[in-house]
Amino acid sequence: MKAPKFPKGSVPDHVAVVMDGNGRWAKKRGLPRTAGHEAGEAALFDMVEGALEVGVKELSAYAFSTENWKRSPDEVKFLMGFNREVIRRRRDQMNEMGVRIRWVGKEKRLWKSVLDELLEAEELTKKNKKFTLNMCVNYGGRSEIVDATTKIAVDIAKKKIKPDQINEKLFSKYLYNPGMSDVDLFLRSSGEQRTSNFLPWQSVYAEMIFMDVLWPDVTRKTLWDAIAIYGERDRRFGKA
Ligand code: IPE
Ligand code: IPE
Ligand code: MG
């Protein structure tokens, strides 16, 4: 499929995506939920390719939330192992495509084997400049803000910073990935219209687009259709 030519300035730099609907996709087919997660892998990497083709610079993918620990032990176990395998399987391909992989999330509770795999992929791809794929594994927006606040309190106690130095710029340096840019386009599949604790700090001025498609049915075309809608939006940022 040929990538559309979007007018200059109408392509978002940073796209955040809530990859939702795997379970429903599987249920519709009489398959176990895990089959839906497996089918979702291709959707993510097709979207990464489609993003590169049209000049998106950064994609943040919500792979496992801090709330997803509430799922059955079997599903949690599957998702941890699956995330680890996906990173291992895809990292060379991503590296050859010029993609920098970053892990964004909370260390506490995350399986060590998953974290190790993510850190290895970060190391392997750290020189790539063309595109960044933020793999948000064990990510929660509130915990990101609380953890940043804790780190700031520690630095104040150590007299590294003073309370009156705290501003938005300084605060953002304490987030899980301080290099992350603001989200321009926030996408969610599956028809649910909520953000589910994904990137609240970074998304305050994001354009939100909710799509009815279930995640495993998503392709690069889904992203391009969303970018076309995004291009029509008037982003005023509070200006008149
Ligand atoms: C999203 O699909 C994948 C993860 C949350 C890991 P779901 O598993 O939430 O699928 P639905 O929402 O139950 O259909
Ligand atoms: C959000 O989807 C988390 C991920 C996609 C990783 P959920 O399916 O967990 O969110 P809720 O339960 O619908 O809010
Ligand atoms: Mg869901």
Side-chain angles (χ1 to χ4, degrees):
M1 204 188 302
K2 223 173 144 314
K5 277 241 175 308
F6 292 108
K8 220 175 146 30
S10 72
V11 174
D13 285 331
H14 185 181
V15 177
V17 55
V18 180
M19 309 187 284
D20 195 24
N22 296 348
R24 276 162 282 174
W25 182 94
K27 194 170 175 211
K28 269 194 356 194
R29 287 163 179 75
L31 299 169
R33 293 178 57 81
T34 51
H37 300 314
E38 278 168 343
E41 177 184 344
L44 173 60
F45 292 95
D46 201 60
M47 194 176 258
V48 169
E49 286 187 42
L52 270 157
E53 282 175 321
V54 297
V56 172
K57 301 272 183 295
E58 187 170 3
L59 185 89
S60 295
Y62 207 5
F64 191 93
S65 76
T66 49
E67 286 67 44
N68 287 147
W69 295 106
K70 295 178 203 157
R71 296 191 177 196
S72 73
D74 277 352
E75 185 167 348
V76 166
K77 195 170 158 204
F78 175 86
L79 285 169
M80 282 293 135
F82 184 62
N83 273 295
R84 185 179 59 218
E85 297 319 311
V86 168
I87 302 293
R88 184 176 305 164
R89 200 166 38 242
R90 296 286 184 160
R91 66 179 178 210
D92 290 333
Q93 179 199 6
M94 289 297 109
N95 195 28
E96 278 153 30
M97 282 163 55
V99 174
R100 178 173 190 186
I101 297 173
R102 298 294 307 266
W103 165 60
V104 181
K106 190 179 176 73
E107 200 169 321
K108 202 172 158 194
R109 267 188 111 170
L110 181 59
W111 285 18
K112 172 127 190 342
S113 63
V114 179
L115 182 59
D116 287 347
E117 204 60 53
L118 284 158
L119 297 180
E120 209 171 308
E122 280 197 350
E123 184 60 28
L124 175 76
T125 61
K126 70 179 179 199
K127 293 209 172 72
N128 294 339
K129 297 224 156 53
K130 207 157 131 195
F131 186 88
T132 303
L133 173 62
N134 297 308
M135 288 299 295
C136 304
V137 186
N138 199 27
Y139 176 85
R142 282 193 173 172
S143 95
E144 177 172 39
I145 291 169
V146 170
D147 289 350
T149 308
T150 307
K151 285 185 259 173
I152 289 172
V154 168
D155 278 358
I156 288 175
K158 287 185 182 161
K159 303 217 180 313
K160 278 195 188 164
I161 53 169
K162 294 199 192 83
D164 64 4
Q165 283 178 280
I166 302 171
N167 55 29
E168 291 177 14
K169 193 165 170 238
L170 182 119
F171 195 93
S172 66
K173 293 203 170 93
Y174 287 85
L175 296 172
Y176 290 144
N177 175 1
M180 195 187 255
S181 59
D182 282 355
V183 173
D184 298 300
L185 171 57
F186 187 110
L187 292 182
R188 180 173 187 145
S189 60
S190 92
E192 307 296 351
Q193 302 196 6
R194 55 176 170 267
T195 62
S196 298
N197 205 12
F198 193 40
L199 300 175
W201 177 276
Q202 298 86 346
S203 298
V204 289
Y205 253 112
E207 294 299 324
M208 319 290 292
I209 298 181
F210 300 100
M211 301 165 298
D212 283 331
V213 59
L214 300 174
W215 180 256
D217 293 326
V218 163
T219 66
R220 66 189 76 191
K221 170 88 168 38
T222 319
L223 174 70
W224 296 341
D225 290 347
I227 292 175
I229 297 167
Y230 170 89
E232 299 292 311
R233 300 262 178 101
D234 182 15
R235 301 186 77 196
R236 289 191 290 277
F237 298 100
K239 291 178 231 160

PDB file of all heavy atoms in Angstrom, residues 21-40 212-218:
ATOM      1  N   GLY A  21      -8.416  -4.078  22.533  1.00  0.00           N
ATOM      2  CA  GLY A  21      -9.413  -4.889  21.819  1.00  0.00           C
ATOM      3  C   GLY A  21      -8.933  -6.283  21.447  1.00  0.00           C
ATOM      4  O   GLY A  21      -9.628  -7.003  20.724  1.00  0.00           O
ATOM      5  N   ASN A  22      -7.794  -6.680  21.954  1.00  0.00           N
ATOM      6  CA  ASN A  22      -7.270  -8.019  21.636  1.00  0.00           C
ATOM      7  C   ASN A  22      -8.193  -9.125  22.138  1.00  0.00           C
ATOM      8  O   ASN A  22      -8.440 -10.108  21.440  1.00  0.00           O
ATOM      9  CB  ASN A  22      -5.895  -8.226  22.275  1.00  0.00           C
ATOM     10  CG  ASN A  22      -4.849  -7.278  21.728  1.00  0.00           C
ATOM     11  OD1 ASN A  22      -5.086  -6.615  20.720  1.00  0.00           O
ATOM     12  ND2 ASN A  22      -3.697  -7.214  22.379  1.00  0.00           N
ATOM     13  N   GLY A  23      -8.687  -8.956  23.359  1.00  0.00           N
ATOM     14  CA  GLY A  23      -9.542  -9.975  23.957  1.00  0.00           C
ATOM     15  C   GLY A  23     -10.841 -10.136  23.177  1.00  0.00           C
ATOM     16  O   GLY A  23     -11.286 -11.253  22.889  1.00  0.00           O
ATOM     17  N   ARG A  24     -11.449  -9.001  22.815  1.00  0.00           N
ATOM     18  CA  ARG A  24     -12.708  -9.052  22.061  1.00  0.00           C
ATOM     19  C   ARG A  24     -12.505  -9.643  20.666  1.00  0.00           C
ATOM     20  O   ARG A  24     -13.340 -10.381  20.157  1.00  0.00           O
ATOM     21  CB  ARG A  24     -13.316  -7.636  21.954  1.00  0.00           C
ATOM     22  CG  ARG A  24     -14.125  -7.257  23.178  1.00  0.00           C
ATOM     23  CD  ARG A  24     -14.336  -5.766  23.275  1.00  0.00           C
ATOM     24  NE  ARG A  24     -13.148  -5.093  23.778  1.00  0.00           N
ATOM     25  CZ  ARG A  24     -13.017  -3.782  23.845  1.00  0.00           C
ATOM     26  NH1 ARG A  24     -13.988  -2.998  23.414  1.00  0.00           N
ATOM     27  NH2 ARG A  24     -11.912  -3.255  24.335  1.00  0.00           N
ATOM     28  N   TRP A  25     -11.368  -9.332  20.066  1.00  0.00           N
ATOM     29  CA  TRP A  25     -11.040  -9.890  18.739  1.00  0.00           C
ATOM     30  C   TRP A  25     -10.989 -11.415  18.829  1.00  0.00           C
ATOM     31  O   TRP A  25     -11.534 -12.113  17.973  1.00  0.00           O
ATOM     32  CB  TRP A  25      -9.688  -9.325  18.291  1.00  0.00           C
ATOM     33  CG  TRP A  25      -9.226  -9.750  16.935  1.00  0.00           C
ATOM     34  CD1 TRP A  25      -9.418  -9.078  15.756  1.00  0.00           C
ATOM     35  CD2 TRP A  25      -8.471 -10.935  16.603  1.00  0.00           C
ATOM     36  NE1 TRP A  25      -8.838  -9.767  14.720  1.00  0.00           N
ATOM     37  CE2 TRP A  25      -8.244 -10.913  15.214  1.00  0.00           C
ATOM     38  CE3 TRP A  25      -7.958 -12.004  17.345  1.00  0.00           C
ATOM     39  CZ2 TRP A  25      -7.534 -11.907  14.546  1.00  0.00           C
ATOM     40  CZ3 TRP A  25      -7.248 -13.008  16.680  1.00  0.00           C
ATOM     41  CH2 TRP A  25      -7.045 -12.957  15.307  1.00  0.00           C
ATOM     42  N   ALA A  26     -10.351 -11.909  19.889  1.00  0.00           N
ATOM     43  CA  ALA A  26     -10.222 -13.362  20.057  1.00  0.00           C
ATOM     44  C   ALA A  26     -11.585 -13.995  20.353  1.00  0.00           C
ATOM     45  O   ALA A  26     -11.941 -15.035  19.788  1.00  0.00           O
ATOM     46  CB  ALA A  26      -9.234 -13.667  21.181  1.00  0.00           C
ATOM     47  N   LYS A  27     -12.346 -13.347  21.230  1.00  0.00           N
ATOM     48  CA  LYS A  27     -13.649 -13.887  21.632  1.00  0.00           C
ATOM     49  C   LYS A  27     -14.578 -14.060  20.423  1.00  0.00           C
ATOM     50  O   LYS A  27     -15.266 -15.083  20.291  1.00  0.00           O
ATOM     51  CB  LYS A  27     -14.287 -12.951  22.669  1.00  0.00           C
ATOM     52  CG  LYS A  27     -15.453 -13.588  23.393  1.00  0.00           C
ATOM     53  CD  LYS A  27     -15.956 -12.787  24.571  1.00  0.00           C
ATOM     54  CE  LYS A  27     -17.198 -13.469  25.135  1.00  0.00           C
ATOM     55  NZ  LYS A  27     -18.127 -12.501  25.724  1.00  0.00           N
ATOM     56  N   LYS A  28     -14.543 -13.058  19.545  1.00  0.00           N
ATOM     57  CA  LYS A  28     -15.369 -13.119  18.337  1.00  0.00           C
ATOM     58  C   LYS A  28     -15.067 -14.350  17.485  1.00  0.00           C
ATOM     59  O   LYS A  28     -15.884 -14.811  16.708  1.00  0.00           O
ATOM     60  CB  LYS A  28     -15.104 -11.871  17.462  1.00  0.00           C
ATOM     61  CG  LYS A  28     -16.017 -10.744  17.768  1.00  0.00           C
ATOM     62  CD  LYS A  28     -16.079  -9.581  16.754  1.00  0.00           C
ATOM     63  CE  LYS A  28     -15.190  -9.559  15.555  1.00  0.00           C
ATOM     64  NZ  LYS A  28     -15.156  -8.222  14.907  1.00  0.00           N
ATOM     65  N   ARG A  29     -13.839 -14.839  17.608  1.00  0.00           N
ATOM     66  CA  ARG A  29     -13.408 -16.000  16.830  1.00  0.00           C
ATOM     67  C   ARG A  29     -13.423 -17.295  17.627  1.00  0.00           C
ATOM     68  O   ARG A  29     -12.920 -18.320  17.159  1.00  0.00           O
ATOM     69  CB  ARG A  29     -11.985 -15.745  16.298  1.00  0.00           C
ATOM     70  CG  ARG A  29     -11.971 -14.745  15.186  1.00  0.00           C
ATOM     71  CD  ARG A  29     -10.594 -14.169  14.926  1.00  0.00           C
ATOM     72  NE  ARG A  29     -10.671 -13.227  13.816  1.00  0.00           N
ATOM     73  CZ  ARG A  29     -11.186 -12.007  13.880  1.00  0.00           C
ATOM     74  NH1 ARG A  29     -11.681 -11.552  15.031  1.00  0.00           N
ATOM     75  NH2 ARG A  29     -11.236 -11.226  12.817  1.00  0.00           N
ATOM     76  N   GLY A  30     -13.920 -17.225  18.846  1.00  0.00           N
ATOM     77  CA  GLY A  30     -13.937 -18.409  19.698  1.00  0.00           C
ATOM     78  C   GLY A  30     -12.557 -18.851  20.138  1.00  0.00           C
ATOM     79  O   GLY A  30     -12.316 -20.023  20.429  1.00  0.00           O
ATOM     80  N   LEU A  31     -11.630 -17.896  20.196  1.00  0.00           N
ATOM     81  CA  LEU A  31     -10.240 -18.210  20.576  1.00  0.00           C
ATOM     82  C   LEU A  31      -9.948 -17.704  21.983  1.00  0.00           C
ATOM     83  O   LEU A  31     -10.646 -16.822  22.485  1.00  0.00           O
ATOM     84  CB  LEU A  31      -9.272 -17.535  19.585  1.00  0.00           C
ATOM     85  CG  LEU A  31      -9.382 -17.954  18.114  1.00  0.00           C
ATOM     86  CD1 LEU A  31      -8.573 -17.024  17.225  1.00  0.00           C
ATOM     87  CD2 LEU A  31      -8.900 -19.408  17.944  1.00  0.00           C
ATOM     88  N   PRO A  32      -8.901 -18.223  22.622  1.00  0.00           N
ATOM     89  CA  PRO A  32      -8.514 -17.675  23.932  1.00  0.00           C
ATOM     90  C   PRO A  32      -7.982 -16.246  23.791  1.00  0.00           C
ATOM     91  O   PRO A  32      -7.465 -15.885  22.723  1.00  0.00           O
ATOM     92  CB  PRO A  32      -7.399 -18.624  24.402  1.00  0.00           C
ATOM     93  CG  PRO A  32      -6.892 -19.288  23.171  1.00  0.00           C
ATOM     94  CD  PRO A  32      -8.037 -19.325  22.190  1.00  0.00           C
ATOM     95  N   ARG A  33      -8.116 -15.460  24.860  1.00  0.00           N
ATOM     96  CA  ARG A  33      -7.672 -14.057  24.836  1.00  0.00           C
ATOM     97  C   ARG A  33      -6.227 -13.919  24.368  1.00  0.00           C
ATOM     98  O   ARG A  33      -5.868 -12.965  23.677  1.00  0.00           O
ATOM     99  CB  ARG A  33      -7.807 -13.439  26.233  1.00  0.00           C
ATOM    100  CG  ARG A  33      -9.238 -13.282  26.723  1.00  0.00           C
ATOM    101  CD  ARG A  33      -9.275 -12.704  28.138  1.00  0.00           C
ATOM    102  NE  ARG A  33      -8.569 -11.428  28.203  1.00  0.00           N
ATOM    103  CZ  ARG A  33      -9.108 -10.266  27.824  1.00  0.00           C
ATOM    104  NH1 ARG A  33     -10.344 -10.208  27.396  1.00  0.00           N
ATOM    105  NH2 ARG A  33      -8.399  -9.158  27.893  1.00  0.00           N
ATOM    106  N   THR A  34      -5.415 -14.906  24.755  1.00  0.00           N
ATOM    107  CA  THR A  34      -3.987 -14.836  24.401  1.00  0.00           C
ATOM    108  C   THR A  34      -3.788 -14.820  22.882  1.00  0.00           C
ATOM    109  O   THR A  34      -2.852 -14.193  22.384  1.00  0.00           O
ATOM    110  CB  THR A  34      -3.226 -16.029  25.014  1.00  0.00           C
ATOM    111  OG1 THR A  34      -3.924 -17.230  24.670  1.00  0.00           O
ATOM    112  CG2 THR A  34      -3.149 -15.906  26.522  1.00  0.00           C
ATOM    113  N   ALA A  35      -4.669 -15.473  22.151  1.00  0.00           N
ATOM    114  CA  ALA A  35      -4.558 -15.483  20.689  1.00  0.00           C
ATOM    115  C   ALA A  35      -4.746 -14.063  20.140  1.00  0.00           C
ATOM    116  O   ALA A  35      -4.157 -13.696  19.119  1.00  0.00           O
ATOM    117  CB  ALA A  35      -5.583 -16.425  20.079  1.00  0.00           C
ATOM    118  N   GLY A  36      -5.549 -13.276  20.837  1.00  0.00           N
ATOM    119  CA  GLY A  36      -5.741 -11.885  20.437  1.00  0.00           C
ATOM    120  C   GLY A  36      -4.469 -11.067  20.635  1.00  0.00           C
ATOM    121  O   GLY A  36      -4.105 -10.245  19.796  1.00  0.00           O
ATOM    122  N   HIS A  37      -3.797 -11.312  21.759  1.00  0.00           N
ATOM    123  CA  HIS A  37      -2.536 -10.593  21.997  1.00  0.00           C
ATOM    124  C   HIS A  37      -1.512 -10.970  20.923  1.00  0.00           C
ATOM    125  O   HIS A  37      -0.821 -10.112  20.387  1.00  0.00           O
ATOM    126  CB  HIS A  37      -1.981 -10.920  23.388  1.00  0.00           C
ATOM    127  CG  HIS A  37      -2.904 -10.538  24.512  1.00  0.00           C
ATOM    128  ND1 HIS A  37      -3.531  -9.314  24.564  1.00  0.00           N
ATOM    129  CD2 HIS A  37      -3.315 -11.214  25.612  1.00  0.00           C
ATOM    130  CE1 HIS A  37      -4.286  -9.258  25.663  1.00  0.00           C
ATOM    131  NE2 HIS A  37      -4.179 -10.402  26.309  1.00  0.00           N
ATOM    132  N   GLU A  38      -1.472 -12.261  20.613  1.00  0.00           N
ATOM    133  CA  GLU A  38      -0.517 -12.704  19.583  1.00  0.00           C
ATOM    134  C   GLU A  38      -0.800 -12.036  18.240  1.00  0.00           C
ATOM    135  O   GLU A  38       0.116 -11.602  17.545  1.00  0.00           O
ATOM    136  CB  GLU A  38      -0.588 -14.233  19.433  1.00  0.00           C
ATOM    137  CG  GLU A  38       0.228 -14.941  20.493  1.00  0.00           C
ATOM    138  CD  GLU A  38      -0.030 -16.442  20.565  1.00  0.00           C
ATOM    139  OE1 GLU A  38      -1.059 -16.929  20.034  1.00  0.00           O
ATOM    140  OE2 GLU A  38       0.801 -17.132  21.180  1.00  0.00           O
ATOM    141  N   ALA A  39      -2.079 -11.948  17.919  1.00  0.00           N
ATOM    142  CA  ALA A  39      -2.460 -11.348  16.635  1.00  0.00           C
ATOM    143  C   ALA A  39      -2.172  -9.845  16.615  1.00  0.00           C
ATOM    144  O   ALA A  39      -2.072  -9.233  15.556  1.00  0.00           O
ATOM    145  CB  ALA A  39      -3.935 -11.606  16.355  1.00  0.00           C
ATOM    146  N   GLY A  40      -2.018  -9.247  17.805  1.00  0.00           N
ATOM    147  CA  GLY A  40      -1.773  -7.809  17.877  1.00  0.00           C
ATOM    148  C   GLY A  40      -0.345  -7.401  17.560  1.00  0.00           C
ATOM    149  O   GLY A  40      -0.087  -6.238  17.261  1.00  0.00           O
ATOM    150  N   ASP A 212     -13.024   2.511  16.051  1.00  0.00           N
ATOM    151  CA  ASP A 212     -13.827   1.337  16.395  1.00  0.00           C
ATOM    152  C   ASP A 212     -13.130   0.008  16.118  1.00  0.00           C
ATOM    153  O   ASP A 212     -13.530  -1.016  16.624  1.00  0.00           O
ATOM    154  CB  ASP A 212     -15.174   1.382  15.654  1.00  0.00           C
ATOM    155  CG  ASP A 212     -16.132   2.370  16.313  1.00  0.00           C
ATOM    156  OD1 ASP A 212     -15.989   2.564  17.550  1.00  0.00           O
ATOM    157  OD2 ASP A 212     -16.964   2.962  15.621  1.00  0.00           O
ATOM    158  N   VAL A 213     -12.091   0.029  15.348  1.00  0.00           N
ATOM    159  CA  VAL A 213     -11.386  -1.203  14.971  1.00  0.00           C
ATOM    160  C   VAL A 213     -10.727  -1.866  16.197  1.00  0.00           C
ATOM    161  O   VAL A 213     -10.251  -1.184  17.097  1.00  0.00           O
ATOM    162  CB  VAL A 213     -10.335  -0.866  13.869  1.00  0.00           C
ATOM    163  CG1 VAL A 213      -9.336   0.169  14.356  1.00  0.00           C
ATOM    164  CG2 VAL A 213      -9.607  -2.103  13.386  1.00  0.00           C
ATOM    165  N   LEU A 214     -10.773  -3.204  16.231  1.00  0.00           N
ATOM    166  CA  LEU A 214     -10.092  -3.936  17.315  1.00  0.00           C
ATOM    167  C   LEU A 214      -8.600  -4.011  16.982  1.00  0.00           C
ATOM    168  O   LEU A 214      -8.226  -4.113  15.804  1.00  0.00           O
ATOM    169  CB  LEU A 214     -10.693  -5.338  17.475  1.00  0.00           C
ATOM    170  CG  LEU A 214     -12.193  -5.352  17.822  1.00  0.00           C
ATOM    171  CD1 LEU A 214     -12.751  -6.775  17.808  1.00  0.00           C
ATOM    172  CD2 LEU A 214     -12.452  -4.697  19.179  1.00  0.00           C
ATOM    173  N   TRP A 215      -7.758  -3.973  18.002  1.00  0.00           N
ATOM    174  CA  TRP A 215      -6.335  -3.803  17.749  1.00  0.00           C
ATOM    175  C   TRP A 215      -5.737  -4.786  16.720  1.00  0.00           C
ATOM    176  O   TRP A 215      -5.015  -4.355  15.811  1.00  0.00           O
ATOM    177  CB  TRP A 215      -5.521  -3.811  19.056  1.00  0.00           C
ATOM    178  CG  TRP A 215      -4.077  -3.643  18.751  1.00  0.00           C
ATOM    179  CD1 TRP A 215      -3.109  -4.594  18.764  1.00  0.00           C
ATOM    180  CD2 TRP A 215      -3.443  -2.433  18.274  1.00  0.00           C
ATOM    181  NE1 TRP A 215      -1.909  -4.062  18.336  1.00  0.00           N
ATOM    182  CE2 TRP A 215      -2.092  -2.741  18.028  1.00  0.00           C
ATOM    183  CE3 TRP A 215      -3.891  -1.126  18.012  1.00  0.00           C
ATOM    184  CZ2 TRP A 215      -1.168  -1.796  17.550  1.00  0.00           C
ATOM    185  CZ3 TRP A 215      -2.983  -0.180  17.535  1.00  0.00           C
ATOM    186  CH2 TRP A 215      -1.646  -0.517  17.321  1.00  0.00           C
ATOM    187  N   PRO A 216      -6.030  -6.087  16.798  1.00  0.00           N
ATOM    188  CA  PRO A 216      -5.390  -6.988  15.829  1.00  0.00           C
ATOM    189  C   PRO A 216      -5.759  -6.688  14.369  1.00  0.00           C
ATOM    190  O   PRO A 216      -5.054  -7.123  13.457  1.00  0.00           O
ATOM    191  CB  PRO A 216      -5.895  -8.381  16.236  1.00  0.00           C
ATOM    192  CG  PRO A 216      -6.227  -8.234  17.680  1.00  0.00           C
ATOM    193  CD  PRO A 216      -6.788  -6.849  17.808  1.00  0.00           C
ATOM    194  N   ASP A 217      -6.843  -5.937  14.137  1.00  0.00           N
ATOM    195  CA  ASP A 217      -7.236  -5.588  12.770  1.00  0.00           C
ATOM    196  C   ASP A 217      -6.616  -4.271  12.313  1.00  0.00           C
ATOM    197  O   ASP A 217      -6.864  -3.816  11.184  1.00  0.00           O
ATOM    198  CB  ASP A 217      -8.771  -5.495  12.653  1.00  0.00           C
ATOM    199  CG  ASP A 217      -9.443  -6.848  12.834  1.00  0.00           C
ATOM    200  OD1 ASP A 217      -8.839  -7.868  12.420  1.00  0.00           O
ATOM    201  OD2 ASP A 217     -10.556  -6.900  13.395  1.00  0.00           O
ATOM    202  N   VAL A 218      -5.838  -3.642  13.169  1.00  0.00           N
ATOM    203  CA  VAL A 218      -5.218  -2.358  12.828  1.00  0.00           C
ATOM    204  C   VAL A 218      -4.056  -2.584  11.851  1.00  0.00           C
ATOM    205  O   VAL A 218      -3.342  -3.580  11.938  1.00  0.00           O
ATOM    206  CB  VAL A 218      -4.715  -1.663  14.126  1.00  0.00           C
ATOM    207  CG1 VAL A 218      -3.707  -0.558  13.827  1.00  0.00           C
ATOM    208  CG2 VAL A 218      -5.897  -1.109  14.920  1.00  0.00           C
TER     209      VAL A 218
END
